């Protein structure tokens, strides 16, 4: 990990201003978001934290152990970020924190309106690119290694939140926040952000269909059945789905199956025929052709590489 991954420039609280030695919180409220800086100066365990909006946390100094989604705890270190959906409980341990080795972390909670507006803009201007880009093995990954671009905009946003004093502060922060959202959409966090956006759109009907597709990806899915899940006519569903997600429902199903197949190939240990069936394809010739079109090589060549 290079220094480009790290965030700098966050001031420490003066010792006489600390209200607590565990997760002492300093808050900067802006339009569409709230910037929180947390400092911990002594070891602690099972500290709970919840936000009502989607929150981006970024580790600045020291080490935490983060517990999320009932999964095993993981080390959370500088140069990394974690994105957490609304109302999700974070349980945090501070095994190494002490007065001369404190931890420092930011938590940026982002309003639903900002997420919705940003994704509306992305879908309008870059819908095909945003919705079909590949983001790695685990598309629900929430633990991120900061890219240089992401670190730069987080640094800039912190500077605006903490130090900017002009009357245009909220406008400047809003523009920076939109850029931050776009940078996040270019990371593995895209899937979670996209899910949050979908839950706001179209009375949740499309969100339900997307969830149904993901849960039944190996089943025989067709346009009529998906339209029925959305409680829409086939023509209305097709038009609405394409308008909102930038592709037809069956194109979406195909790409989800190909992503799943790619995951199985990366894991290894499966025959191509097995991967085809496990990914929802009932014709191996079609699977091989579609995979090559999407990823530039046949499944067997991809697996060897």
């Amino acid at each position: 990990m290079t220094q480009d991954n790290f965030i700098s420039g966050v001031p420490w609280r003066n010792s006489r201003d600390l209200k607590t030695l565990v997760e002492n919180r300093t808050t900067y409220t802006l339009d569409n978001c709230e910037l929180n800086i947390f400092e911990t100066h002594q070891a602690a365990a099972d500290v709970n934290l919840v936000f009502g909006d989607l929150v981006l946390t970024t580790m600045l100094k020291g080490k935490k152990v983060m517990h999320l989604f009932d999964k095993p705890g993981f080390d959370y270190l500088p140069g990394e970020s974690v994105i957490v959906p609304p109302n999700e409980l974070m349980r945090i341990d501070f095994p190494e924190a002490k007065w001369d080795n404190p931890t420092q972390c930011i938590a940026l909670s982002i309003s639903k309106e900002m997420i919705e507006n940003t994704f509306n803009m992305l879908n309008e201007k870059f819908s095909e690119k945003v919705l079909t880009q590949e983001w790695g093995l685990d598309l629900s990954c929430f633990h991120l290694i900061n890219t240089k671009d992401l670190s730069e905009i987080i640094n800039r946003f912190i500077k605006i939140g903490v130090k900017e004093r002009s009357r245009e502060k909220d406008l400047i922060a809003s523009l920076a926040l939109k850029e931050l959202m776009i940078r996040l959409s270019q990371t593995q966090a895209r899937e979670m952000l996209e899910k949050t956006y979908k839950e706001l759109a179209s009375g949740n009907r499309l969100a339900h269909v997307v969830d149904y597709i993901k849960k039944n990806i190996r089943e025989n899915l067709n346009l009529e059945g998906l339209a029925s899940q959305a409680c829409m006519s086939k023509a209305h569903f097709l038009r609405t789905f394409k308008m909102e997600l930038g592709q037809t429902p069956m194109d979406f199903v195909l790409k989800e199956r190909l992503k799943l197949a790619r995951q199985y190939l990366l894991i290894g240990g499966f025959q191509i025929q097995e991967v085809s069936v496990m990914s929802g394809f009932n014709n191996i010739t079609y699977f091989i052709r579609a995979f090559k079109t999407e990823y530039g090589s046949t499944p067997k060549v991809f697996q060897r590489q």
Side-chain angles (χ1 to χ4, degrees):
M1 187 183 300
T2 68
Q3 193 64 31
D4 291 335
N5 299 88
F6 294 87
I7 311 300
S8 60
V10 178
W12 291 93
R13 296 290 286 180
N14 190 294
S15 59
R16 64 176 177 269
D17 295 330
L18 295 174
K19 297 182 177 63
T20 174
L21 295 181
V22 178
E23 288 294 69
N24 188 82
R25 182 175 187 169
T26 306
T27 300
Y28 301 87
T29 302
L30 300 159
D31 284 353
N32 297 308
C33 66
E34 181 181 85
L35 174 64
N36 300 273
I37 301 174
F38 291 95
E39 299 173 19
T40 295
H41 294 263
Q42 70 180 31
D46 205 25
V47 178
N48 294 339
L49 191 61
V50 177
F51 287 86
D53 289 317
L54 182 140
V55 62
L56 168 72
T57 76
T58 298
M59 197 67 184
L60 307 181
K61 304 279 175 32
K63 171 186 172 181
K64 296 181 181 181
V65 177
M66 180 79 85
H67 304 263
L68 279 172
F69 311 118
D70 296 321
K71 295 179 180 291
F74 58 88
D75 288 349
Y76 190 16
L77 302 169
E80 302 174 355
S81 294
V82 169
I83 187 163
V84 184
N87 303 311
E88 184 68 36
L89 176 66
M90 292 177 267
R91 292 193 300 109
I92 310 166
D93 302 329
F94 303 87
E96 300 175 3
K98 51 187 178 181
W99 187 254
D100 59 353
N101 184 38
T103 69
Q104 192 180 53
C105 179
I106 66 163
L108 178 65
S109 62
I110 306 170
S111 72
K112 295 178 181 179
E113 292 74 20
M114 175 57 72
I115 295 170
E116 183 179 20
N117 291 339
T118 301
F119 272 85
N120 277 335
M121 179 187 70
L122 288 173
N123 279 331
E124 180 181 345
K125 295 183 178 295
F126 308 107
S127 59
E128 189 64 23
K129 179 181 177 183
V130 169
L131 288 167
T132 61
Q133 192 165 346
E134 178 57 50
W135 303 103
L137 177 61
D138 183 3
L139 292 178
S140 63
C141 182
F142 50 86
H143 185 194
L144 314 173
I145 303 299
N146 295 342
T147 64
K148 180 181 178 181
D149 288 337
L150 181 56
S151 293
E152 286 178 351
I153 183 57
I154 293 175
N155 269 319
R156 187 153 22 107
F157 190 87
I158 292 172
K159 183 178 180 180
I160 293 168
V162 174
K163 299 180 179 179
E164 180 70 37
R165 293 292 180 266
S166 72
R167 65 179 183 178
E168 296 86 7
K169 177 176 180 175
D170 279 322
L171 176 59
I172 296 170
S174 181
L175 295 172
L177 185 60
K178 194 172 289 288
E179 180 182 347
L180 174 58
M181 293 293 296
I182 294 171
R183 293 301 181 193
L184 281 172
S185 75
Q186 296 169 334
T187 71
Q188 291 177 326
R190 180 191 67 98
E191 186 77 2
M192 189 173 292
L193 290 170
E194 185 180 301
K195 182 175 183 291
T196 302
Y197 162 74
K198 288 171 186 169
E199 287 172 351
L200 300 170
S202 301
N204 286 330
R205 291 197 206 181
L206 295 187
H208 169 71
V209 173
V210 168
D211 184 60
Y212 178 83
I213 290 172
K214 290 177 181 291
K215 289 179 178 177
N216 297 275
I217 195 65
R218 297 177 182 85
E219 304 300 323
N220 181 24
L221 301 173
N222 55 55
L223 187 59
E224 291 80 3
L226 296 178
S228 177
Q229 287 292 324
C231 299
M232 297 179 183
S233 70
K234 188 167 71 171
H236 181 47
F237 170 66
L238 179 61
R239 183 170 60 252
T240 303
F241 193 101
K242 189 171 183 180
M243 179 181 68
E244 291 288 341
L245 282 86
Q247 55 194 315
T248 69
M250 299 317 296
D251 283 342
F252 182 84
V253 170
L254 174 61
K255 290 184 183 297
E256 288 297 306
R257 285 174 171 163
L258 291 172
K259 289 176 188 176
L260 184 59
R262 184 178 184 274
Q263 291 180 15
Y264 284 130
L265 292 171
L266 286 170
I267 292 169
F270 300 108
Q271 298 294 321
I272 302 303
Q273 177 72 45
E274 292 178 303
V275 172
S276 175
V277 173
M278 290 189 301
S279 304
F281 292 91
N282 54 22
N283 184 310
I284 190 170
T285 302
Y286 174 64
F287 164 59
I288 293 171
R289 185 170 65 248
F291 191 94
K292 185 175 182 180
T293 299
E294 183 72 10
Y295 296 114
S297 65
T298 65
K300 185 171 288 294
V301 170
F302 181 88
Q303 191 177 50
R304 287 172 180 168
Q305 291 174 341

